Amino acid sequence: MYFCLSVCVRPSVLLSVCLLVSVRPVCTSARLPATQIRNTHPECSIVLHLLEKEGECKLQMRNTKALSLSTPNNTTGCLVEWDGVSCWPAALNGESLSVSCPLLLLKPDSPPALITRNCTPQGWSKPSLPYYKACYFEDSSEEEEETGDKQNYFATVKIIYTVGYGVSLASLFIAILVFCIFRKLLCIRTSIHLNLFSTFILRGLAVFVKDAVLFADESMDHCTVSTVTCKAAVTFFQYCVLANFFWLLVEGLYLQTLLVFTFAQKRKLFWLYAGIGWGTPSVTIIIWTLLKSQFDNEGCWDNLDSALWWIIKTPILLSVFINFVVFVNISRIIIQKTKATDQNGSEGLQVYRRLARSTLLLIPLFGVHYVVFALLPEHVGVGARLSLELVLGSFQGFIVALLYCFLNGEVQNEIRKAMKGCRSQTENNVFNLATQDYVA
């Protein structure tokens, strides 16, 4: 049984360092170079330190084994051993060795304590002092309470955005089904809506896939994991996010086209918009994937501090700010058009109501709320960012489906017609059955 250090990194920001008693060295499964761990997860400096020390210890093991083979009469009783935290050099039977707590684990202002082990004929003895005592790493009650609050907060956020994406997926599937059933509703505008709905569905599915691959197994070492599966999950997620932003941009551009150009060739524009919505994310993600695999193939490709991250972030920022400009311009056009139809002062209130209604439609549609954190670093305002982007963003698909399908007047009229048709057909069938009985 060894006393080992386990570093557990939770999604994005939660880092808890736990000194645990384990039956195996948990850090021996690392496969990434130390410099890659530093770049991917800067908070994993402890794991980085242990990996470096483990490599040095394994080198000593090989040298000691080679020496023992070359000198058969070697009287060494205990070979070099790595216990997950410290490297114990070779020793003679009856000899005692001591090591101190690694500086990275030593709590500030704590006196250093020595950990001693004896070399016996049966091998190394148990440590005289556990690492969690030698390093004085017990958290105070305030620190434990703060860590517990953070864990509860992030767990609550995850539950909320899981429910949000679930509700959004269900409502979007129903909305797509409605448009497919009532084919009279299909036109360029609804086709753009359907593509937008599809990107929200893909984005929700990508979130669930990424959570299942990266965070379902709580024993996974996020400091060193680097698999094809996790890279594919992150790549798929990034593509879905890009497609979602660019179809939001297409919605804004198309609405502005309708307001500015009355006689536009809409079908040709649709293929242009399809190229923007699906083509631009595809080209971007292919370039990013090739560069990551060649020059930055580390971790699960979730390093937001990498320079290659700007290949994805720049198009997103451009789409967000272009959409923001379009949003402002459309709002200006709406005000002008509503004022032009305002014949008297009594309609002033209706102008503001229509403007407020239109703005309410545009905000979730164009993703303008993302402008708030567009240029801020990823580590700034983590709590507010999570609440705004994850919680509000998870329900965005539901809001779009609600506003552009379930509350759409055309959709409601078609549903009413279908219900009236079914009702009249049922009444006719009952009447025919009654007539047949009477004639019989």
Side-chain angles (χ1 to χ4, degrees), residues 32-45 47-48 51-52 222-224 292 295-309:
L32 289 178
T35 54
Q36 292 185 356
I37 296 173
R38 182 188 290 115
N39 294 333
T40 304
H41 296 288
E43 64 271 16
C44 294
S45 57
V47 174
L48 170 62
L51 288 176
E52 293 175 346
H222 290 270
C223 291
T224 58
K292 287 289 288 187
F295 304 107
D296 197 17
N297 190 16
E298 58 188 40
C300 287
W301 293 1
D302 57 348
N303 181 17
L304 301 182
D305 294 325
S306 172
L308 295 180
W309 169 240

mmCIF file of all heavy atoms in Angstrom, residues 32-45 47-48 51-52 222-224 292 295-309:
data_model
loop_
_atom_site.group_PDB
_atom_site.id
_atom_site.type_symbol
_atom_site.label_atom_id
_atom_site.label_comp_id
_atom_site.label_asym_id
_atom_site.label_seq_id
_atom_site.Cartn_x
_atom_site.Cartn_y
_atom_site.Cartn_z
ATOM 1 N N LEU A 32 1.780 12.201 -20.984
ATOM 2 C CA LEU A 32 2.130 13.452 -21.640
ATOM 3 C C LEU A 32 3.450 13.991 -21.120
ATOM 4 O O LEU A 32 3.766 13.841 -19.934
ATOM 5 C CB LEU A 32 1.053 14.506 -21.388
ATOM 6 C CG LEU A 32 -0.280 14.291 -22.100
ATOM 7 C CD1 LEU A 32 -1.229 15.391 -21.694
ATOM 8 C CD2 LEU A 32 -0.107 14.262 -23.591
ATOM 9 N N PRO A 33 4.235 14.664 -21.968
ATOM 10 C CA PRO A 33 5.430 15.346 -21.481
ATOM 11 C C PRO A 33 5.068 16.416 -20.478
ATOM 12 O O PRO A 33 3.979 16.982 -20.508
ATOM 13 C CB PRO A 33 6.026 15.943 -22.759
ATOM 14 C CG PRO A 33 5.462 15.140 -23.873
ATOM 15 C CD PRO A 33 4.106 14.726 -23.419
ATOM 16 N N ALA A 34 6.006 16.731 -19.608
ATOM 17 C CA ALA A 34 5.724 17.689 -18.538
ATOM 18 C C ALA A 34 5.388 19.060 -19.074
ATOM 19 O O ALA A 34 4.499 19.738 -18.566
ATOM 20 C CB ALA A 34 6.936 17.773 -17.604
ATOM 21 N N THR A 35 6.093 19.502 -20.120
ATOM 22 C CA THR A 35 5.825 20.843 -20.657
ATOM 23 C C THR A 35 4.428 20.943 -21.224
ATOM 24 O O THR A 35 3.795 21.994 -21.162
ATOM 25 C CB THR A 35 6.842 21.171 -21.752
ATOM 26 O OG1 THR A 35 6.825 20.131 -22.736
ATOM 27 C CG2 THR A 35 8.234 21.288 -21.177
ATOM 28 N N GLN A 36 3.897 19.838 -21.775
ATOM 29 C CA GLN A 36 2.546 19.869 -22.309
ATOM 30 C C GLN A 36 1.526 20.025 -21.206
ATOM 31 O O GLN A 36 0.511 20.698 -21.369
ATOM 32 C CB GLN A 36 2.279 18.594 -23.111
ATOM 33 C CG GLN A 36 3.100 18.512 -24.385
ATOM 34 C CD GLN A 36 2.721 17.303 -25.216
ATOM 35 O OE1 GLN A 36 1.897 16.488 -24.824
ATOM 36 N NE2 GLN A 36 3.336 17.189 -26.378
ATOM 37 N N ILE A 37 1.758 19.387 -20.064
ATOM 38 C CA ILE A 37 0.815 19.523 -18.951
ATOM 39 C C ILE A 37 0.794 20.958 -18.463
ATOM 40 O O ILE A 37 -0.253 21.517 -18.149
ATOM 41 C CB ILE A 37 1.212 18.571 -17.807
ATOM 42 C CG1 ILE A 37 1.096 17.122 -18.294
ATOM 43 C CG2 ILE A 37 0.350 18.778 -16.592
ATOM 44 C CD1 ILE A 37 1.604 16.125 -17.314
ATOM 45 N N ARG A 38 1.978 21.584 -18.388
ATOM 46 C CA ARG A 38 2.028 22.976 -17.933
ATOM 47 C C ARG A 38 1.230 23.875 -18.869
ATOM 48 O O ARG A 38 0.535 24.786 -18.441
ATOM 49 C CB ARG A 38 3.482 23.443 -17.860
ATOM 50 C CG ARG A 38 3.603 24.868 -17.349
ATOM 51 C CD ARG A 38 5.014 25.380 -17.465
ATOM 52 N NE ARG A 38 5.913 24.722 -16.536
ATOM 53 C CZ ARG A 38 6.911 23.946 -16.895
ATOM 54 N NH1 ARG A 38 7.122 23.706 -18.186
ATOM 55 N NH2 ARG A 38 7.699 23.389 -15.995
ATOM 56 N N ASN A 39 1.309 23.641 -20.170
ATOM 57 C CA ASN A 39 0.606 24.478 -21.128
ATOM 58 C C ASN A 39 -0.893 24.230 -21.121
ATOM 59 O O ASN A 39 -1.698 25.146 -21.249
ATOM 60 C CB ASN A 39 1.159 24.238 -22.540
ATOM 61 C CG ASN A 39 2.586 24.709 -22.667
ATOM 62 O OD1 ASN A 39 3.010 25.603 -21.970
ATOM 63 N ND2 ASN A 39 3.343 24.082 -23.563
ATOM 64 N N THR A 40 -1.296 22.935 -21.003
ATOM 65 C CA THR A 40 -2.709 22.611 -21.094
ATOM 66 C C THR A 40 -3.461 23.006 -19.839
ATOM 67 O O THR A 40 -4.523 23.593 -19.898
ATOM 68 C CB THR A 40 -2.877 21.097 -21.346
ATOM 69 O OG1 THR A 40 -2.142 20.755 -22.518
ATOM 70 C CG2 THR A 40 -4.335 20.734 -21.521
ATOM 71 N N HIS A 41 -2.920 22.659 -18.674
ATOM 72 C CA HIS A 41 -3.571 22.967 -17.399
ATOM 73 C C HIS A 41 -2.542 23.592 -16.458
ATOM 74 O O HIS A 41 -1.832 22.877 -15.752
ATOM 75 C CB HIS A 41 -4.145 21.706 -16.769
ATOM 76 C CG HIS A 41 -5.241 21.079 -17.567
ATOM 77 N ND1 HIS A 41 -6.494 21.631 -17.666
ATOM 78 C CD2 HIS A 41 -5.260 19.961 -18.327
ATOM 79 C CE1 HIS A 41 -7.251 20.863 -18.435
ATOM 80 N NE2 HIS A 41 -6.525 19.864 -18.860
ATOM 81 N N PRO A 42 -2.429 24.903 -16.428
ATOM 82 C CA PRO A 42 -1.426 25.532 -15.567
ATOM 83 C C PRO A 42 -1.612 25.189 -14.096
ATOM 84 O O PRO A 42 -0.658 25.235 -13.328
ATOM 85 C CB PRO A 42 -1.655 27.036 -15.820
ATOM 86 C CG PRO A 42 -2.325 27.111 -17.147
ATOM 87 C CD PRO A 42 -3.160 25.877 -17.240
ATOM 88 N N GLU A 43 -2.857 24.851 -13.689
ATOM 89 C CA GLU A 43 -3.102 24.543 -12.284
ATOM 90 C C GLU A 43 -2.567 23.169 -11.889
ATOM 91 O O GLU A 43 -2.622 22.791 -10.726
ATOM 92 C CB GLU A 43 -4.606 24.616 -11.981
ATOM 93 C CG GLU A 43 -5.447 23.596 -12.719
ATOM 94 C CD GLU A 43 -5.903 24.100 -14.063
ATOM 95 O OE1 GLU A 43 -5.335 25.085 -14.553
ATOM 96 O OE2 GLU A 43 -6.830 23.512 -14.622
ATOM 97 N N CYS A 44 -2.074 22.398 -12.874
ATOM 98 C CA CYS A 44 -1.595 21.042 -12.583
ATOM 99 C C CYS A 44 -0.100 21.015 -12.297
ATOM 100 O O CYS A 44 0.597 20.065 -12.688
ATOM 101 C CB CYS A 44 -1.924 20.120 -13.750
ATOM 102 S SG CYS A 44 -3.689 19.862 -14.015
ATOM 103 N N SER A 45 0.416 22.036 -11.652
ATOM 104 C CA SER A 45 1.859 22.100 -11.408
ATOM 105 C C SER A 45 2.319 20.988 -10.479
ATOM 106 O O SER A 45 3.462 20.527 -10.562
ATOM 107 C CB SER A 45 2.228 23.467 -10.808
ATOM 108 O OG SER A 45 1.503 23.696 -9.609
ATOM 109 N N VAL A 47 1.094 17.879 -10.366
ATOM 110 C CA VAL A 47 1.245 16.687 -11.191
ATOM 111 C C VAL A 47 2.508 16.790 -12.034
ATOM 112 O O VAL A 47 3.242 15.809 -12.215
ATOM 113 C CB VAL A 47 0.007 16.504 -12.093
ATOM 114 C CG1 VAL A 47 0.212 15.350 -13.063
ATOM 115 C CG2 VAL A 47 -1.230 16.256 -11.242
ATOM 116 N N LEU A 48 2.784 17.976 -12.555
ATOM 117 C CA LEU A 48 3.994 18.200 -13.344
ATOM 118 C C LEU A 48 5.238 17.878 -12.521
ATOM 119 O O LEU A 48 6.153 17.188 -12.982
ATOM 120 C CB LEU A 48 4.032 19.647 -13.822
ATOM 121 C CG LEU A 48 5.321 20.141 -14.469
ATOM 122 C CD1 LEU A 48 5.618 19.351 -15.722
ATOM 123 C CD2 LEU A 48 5.225 21.620 -14.780
ATOM 124 N N LEU A 51 5.535 14.114 -11.992
ATOM 125 C CA LEU A 51 5.949 13.399 -13.201
ATOM 126 C C LEU A 51 7.456 13.535 -13.439
ATOM 127 O O LEU A 51 8.124 12.577 -13.848
ATOM 128 C CB LEU A 51 5.177 13.932 -14.405
ATOM 129 C CG LEU A 51 3.691 13.561 -14.480
ATOM 130 C CD1 LEU A 51 3.049 14.249 -15.674
ATOM 131 C CD2 LEU A 51 3.508 12.065 -14.572
ATOM 132 N N GLU A 52 7.979 14.726 -13.200
ATOM 133 C CA GLU A 52 9.415 14.928 -13.365
ATOM 134 C C GLU A 52 10.193 14.074 -12.376
ATOM 135 O O GLU A 52 11.195 13.426 -12.733
ATOM 136 C CB GLU A 52 9.750 16.415 -13.196
ATOM 137 C CG GLU A 52 9.193 17.298 -14.308
ATOM 138 C CD GLU A 52 9.439 18.769 -14.037
ATOM 139 O OE1 GLU A 52 9.795 19.109 -12.887
ATOM 140 O OE2 GLU A 52 9.269 19.583 -14.964
ATOM 141 N N HIS A 222 -7.519 14.654 -15.431
ATOM 142 C CA HIS A 222 -7.627 15.661 -16.492
ATOM 143 C C HIS A 222 -6.310 16.387 -16.744
ATOM 144 O O HIS A 222 -6.196 17.122 -17.717
ATOM 145 C CB HIS A 222 -8.724 16.683 -16.144
ATOM 146 C CG HIS A 222 -10.096 16.117 -16.226
ATOM 147 N ND1 HIS A 222 -10.853 16.146 -17.364
ATOM 148 C CD2 HIS A 222 -10.846 15.486 -15.293
ATOM 149 C CE1 HIS A 222 -12.021 15.574 -17.146
ATOM 150 N NE2 HIS A 222 -12.033 15.168 -15.892
ATOM 151 N N CYS A 223 -5.339 16.178 -15.881
ATOM 152 C CA CYS A 223 -4.053 16.823 -16.095
ATOM 153 C C CYS A 223 -3.234 16.111 -17.165
ATOM 154 O O CYS A 223 -2.359 16.711 -17.775
ATOM 155 C CB CYS A 223 -3.261 16.870 -14.789
ATOM 156 S SG CYS A 223 -3.954 17.980 -13.569
ATOM 157 N N THR A 224 -3.495 14.813 -17.368
ATOM 158 C CA THR A 224 -2.642 14.044 -18.269
ATOM 159 C C THR A 224 -3.394 13.321 -19.368
ATOM 160 O O THR A 224 -2.766 12.760 -20.258
ATOM 161 C CB THR A 224 -1.853 12.994 -17.460
ATOM 162 O OG1 THR A 224 -2.774 12.150 -16.757
ATOM 163 C CG2 THR A 224 -0.932 13.668 -16.457
ATOM 164 N N LYS A 292 -3.615 21.883 -34.917
ATOM 165 C CA LYS A 292 -3.506 21.298 -33.580
ATOM 166 C C LYS A 292 -2.759 19.962 -33.640
ATOM 167 O O LYS A 292 -1.912 19.681 -32.777
ATOM 168 C CB LYS A 292 -4.899 21.089 -32.986
ATOM 169 C CG LYS A 292 -5.592 22.358 -32.543
ATOM 170 C CD LYS A 292 -4.965 22.974 -31.311
ATOM 171 C CE LYS A 292 -5.240 22.188 -30.068
ATOM 172 N NZ LYS A 292 -4.752 22.885 -28.839
ATOM 173 N N PHE A 295 1.126 20.928 -34.501
ATOM 174 C CA PHE A 295 1.948 21.811 -33.668
ATOM 175 C C PHE A 295 1.526 21.890 -32.203
ATOM 176 O O PHE A 295 2.280 22.403 -31.386
ATOM 177 C CB PHE A 295 1.925 23.239 -34.256
ATOM 178 C CG PHE A 295 2.372 23.308 -35.683
ATOM 179 C CD1 PHE A 295 1.456 23.535 -36.696
ATOM 180 C CD2 PHE A 295 3.698 23.129 -36.022
ATOM 181 C CE1 PHE A 295 1.853 23.605 -38.027
ATOM 182 C CE2 PHE A 295 4.116 23.190 -37.336
ATOM 183 C CZ PHE A 295 3.191 23.418 -38.343
ATOM 184 N N ASP A 296 0.343 21.422 -31.867
ATOM 185 C CA ASP A 296 -0.135 21.589 -30.494
ATOM 186 C C ASP A 296 -0.958 20.373 -30.075
ATOM 187 O O ASP A 296 -2.038 20.504 -29.506
ATOM 188 C CB ASP A 296 -0.974 22.875 -30.387
ATOM 189 C CG ASP A 296 -1.150 23.319 -28.943
ATOM 190 O OD1 ASP A 296 -0.383 22.845 -28.084
ATOM 191 O OD2 ASP A 296 -2.063 24.119 -28.679
ATOM 192 N N ASN A 297 -0.453 19.194 -30.378
ATOM 193 C CA ASN A 297 -1.202 17.951 -30.144
ATOM 194 C C ASN A 297 -1.025 17.497 -28.701
ATOM 195 O O ASN A 297 -0.294 16.553 -28.408
ATOM 196 C CB ASN A 297 -0.741 16.873 -31.126
ATOM 197 C CG ASN A 297 -1.637 15.660 -31.107
ATOM 198 O OD1 ASN A 297 -2.753 15.713 -30.601
ATOM 199 N ND2 ASN A 297 -1.146 14.561 -31.637
ATOM 200 N N GLU A 298 -1.698 18.161 -27.785
ATOM 201 C CA GLU A 298 -1.539 17.881 -26.367
ATOM 202 C C GLU A 298 -2.889 17.873 -25.678
ATOM 203 O O GLU A 298 -3.827 18.568 -26.078
ATOM 204 C CB GLU A 298 -0.632 18.925 -25.713
ATOM 205 C CG GLU A 298 -1.141 20.334 -25.875
ATOM 206 C CD GLU A 298 -0.148 21.368 -25.385
ATOM 207 O OE1 GLU A 298 1.047 21.186 -25.627
ATOM 208 O OE2 GLU A 298 -0.589 22.353 -24.773
ATOM 209 N N GLY A 299 -3.008 17.088 -24.634
ATOM 210 C CA GLY A 299 -4.238 17.032 -23.865
ATOM 211 C C GLY A 299 -5.423 16.643 -24.729
ATOM 212 O O GLY A 299 -5.330 15.842 -25.657
ATOM 213 N N CYS A 300 -6.566 17.217 -24.406
ATOM 214 C CA CYS A 300 -7.800 16.977 -25.162
ATOM 215 C C CYS A 300 -8.143 18.155 -26.066
ATOM 216 O O CYS A 300 -9.307 18.338 -26.438
ATOM 217 C CB CYS A 300 -8.958 16.714 -24.200
ATOM 218 S SG CYS A 300 -8.877 15.093 -23.418
ATOM 219 N N TRP A 301 -7.143 18.959 -26.405
ATOM 220 C CA TRP A 301 -7.318 20.124 -27.274
ATOM 221 C C TRP A 301 -8.280 21.139 -26.652
ATOM 222 O O TRP A 301 -8.971 21.866 -27.361
ATOM 223 C CB TRP A 301 -7.822 19.709 -28.661
ATOM 224 C CG TRP A 301 -6.829 18.920 -29.449
ATOM 225 C CD1 TRP A 301 -5.591 18.537 -29.051
ATOM 226 C CD2 TRP A 301 -6.977 18.415 -30.786
ATOM 227 N NE1 TRP A 301 -4.948 17.826 -30.040
ATOM 228 C CE2 TRP A 301 -5.778 17.733 -31.115
ATOM 229 C CE3 TRP A 301 -7.999 18.486 -31.723
ATOM 230 C CZ2 TRP A 301 -5.597 17.121 -32.342
ATOM 231 C CZ3 TRP A 301 -7.808 17.868 -32.952
ATOM 232 C CH2 TRP A 301 -6.617 17.194 -33.260
ATOM 233 N N ASP A 302 -8.312 21.187 -25.340
ATOM 234 C CA ASP A 302 -9.191 22.134 -24.645
ATOM 235 C C ASP A 302 -8.402 23.258 -23.991
ATOM 236 O O ASP A 302 -8.883 23.908 -23.061
ATOM 237 C CB ASP A 302 -10.015 21.411 -23.580
ATOM 238 C CG ASP A 302 -9.148 20.669 -22.573
ATOM 239 O OD1 ASP A 302 -7.931 20.517 -22.828
ATOM 240 O OD2 ASP A 302 -9.678 20.236 -21.534
ATOM 241 N N ASN A 303 -7.183 23.495 -24.473
ATOM 242 C CA ASN A 303 -6.336 24.543 -23.913
ATOM 243 C C ASN A 303 -6.743 25.901 -24.472
ATOM 244 O O ASN A 303 -6.468 26.225 -25.635
ATOM 245 C CB ASN A 303 -4.862 24.258 -24.235
ATOM 246 C CG ASN A 303 -3.943 25.311 -23.663
ATOM 247 O OD1 ASN A 303 -4.328 26.071 -22.775
ATOM 248 N ND2 ASN A 303 -2.723 25.363 -24.169
ATOM 249 N N LEU A 304 -7.407 26.712 -23.664
ATOM 250 C CA LEU A 304 -7.873 28.025 -24.108
ATOM 251 C C LEU A 304 -6.766 29.063 -24.124
ATOM 252 O O LEU A 304 -6.966 30.166 -24.645
ATOM 253 C CB LEU A 304 -9.011 28.503 -23.198
ATOM 254 C CG LEU A 304 -10.239 27.591 -23.136
ATOM 255 C CD1 LEU A 304 -11.301 28.199 -22.237
ATOM 256 C CD2 LEU A 304 -10.793 27.315 -24.520
ATOM 257 N N ASP A 305 -5.603 28.740 -23.557
ATOM 258 C CA ASP A 305 -4.480 29.672 -23.569
ATOM 259 C C ASP A 305 -3.572 29.474 -24.780
ATOM 260 O O ASP A 305 -2.621 30.230 -24.977
ATOM 261 C CB ASP A 305 -3.645 29.509 -22.290
ATOM 262 C CG ASP A 305 -4.420 29.925 -21.054
ATOM 263 O OD1 ASP A 305 -5.218 30.882 -21.161
ATOM 264 O OD2 ASP A 305 -4.243 29.296 -19.997
ATOM 265 N N SER A 306 -3.852 28.473 -25.586
ATOM 266 C CA SER A 306 -3.046 28.223 -26.777
ATOM 267 C C SER A 306 -3.297 29.308 -27.825
ATOM 268 O O SER A 306 -4.414 29.816 -27.975
ATOM 269 C CB SER A 306 -3.385 26.856 -27.363
ATOM 270 O OG SER A 306 -2.753 26.673 -28.614
ATOM 271 N N ALA A 307 -2.254 29.650 -28.564
ATOM 272 C CA ALA A 307 -2.398 30.647 -29.630
ATOM 273 C C ALA A 307 -3.332 30.158 -30.727
ATOM 274 O O ALA A 307 -4.012 30.961 -31.388
ATOM 275 C CB ALA A 307 -1.020 30.978 -30.218
ATOM 276 N N LEU A 308 -3.407 28.840 -30.931
ATOM 277 C CA LEU A 308 -4.288 28.293 -31.965
ATOM 278 C C LEU A 308 -5.763 28.443 -31.612
ATOM 279 O O LEU A 308 -6.622 28.282 -32.483
ATOM 280 C CB LEU A 308 -3.963 26.809 -32.192
ATOM 281 C CG LEU A 308 -2.576 26.518 -32.766
ATOM 282 C CD1 LEU A 308 -2.378 25.023 -32.934
ATOM 283 C CD2 LEU A 308 -2.389 27.230 -34.100
ATOM 284 N N TRP A 309 -6.064 28.738 -30.342
ATOM 285 C CA TRP A 309 -7.449 28.946 -29.944
ATOM 286 C C TRP A 309 -8.063 30.135 -30.666
ATOM 287 O O TRP A 309 -9.276 30.191 -30.896
ATOM 288 C CB TRP A 309 -7.517 29.132 -28.427
ATOM 289 C CG TRP A 309 -8.838 29.619 -27.900
ATOM 290 C CD1 TRP A 309 -9.090 30.761 -27.212
ATOM 291 C CD2 TRP A 309 -10.105 28.947 -28.001
ATOM 292 N NE1 TRP A 309 -10.404 30.860 -26.898
ATOM 293 C CE2 TRP A 309 -11.057 29.763 -27.367
ATOM 294 C CE3 TRP A 309 -10.525 27.753 -28.576
ATOM 295 C CZ2 TRP A 309 -12.399 29.414 -27.282
ATOM 296 C CZ3 TRP A 309 -11.865 27.414 -28.491
ATOM 297 C CH2 TRP A 309 -12.774 28.238 -27.853
#
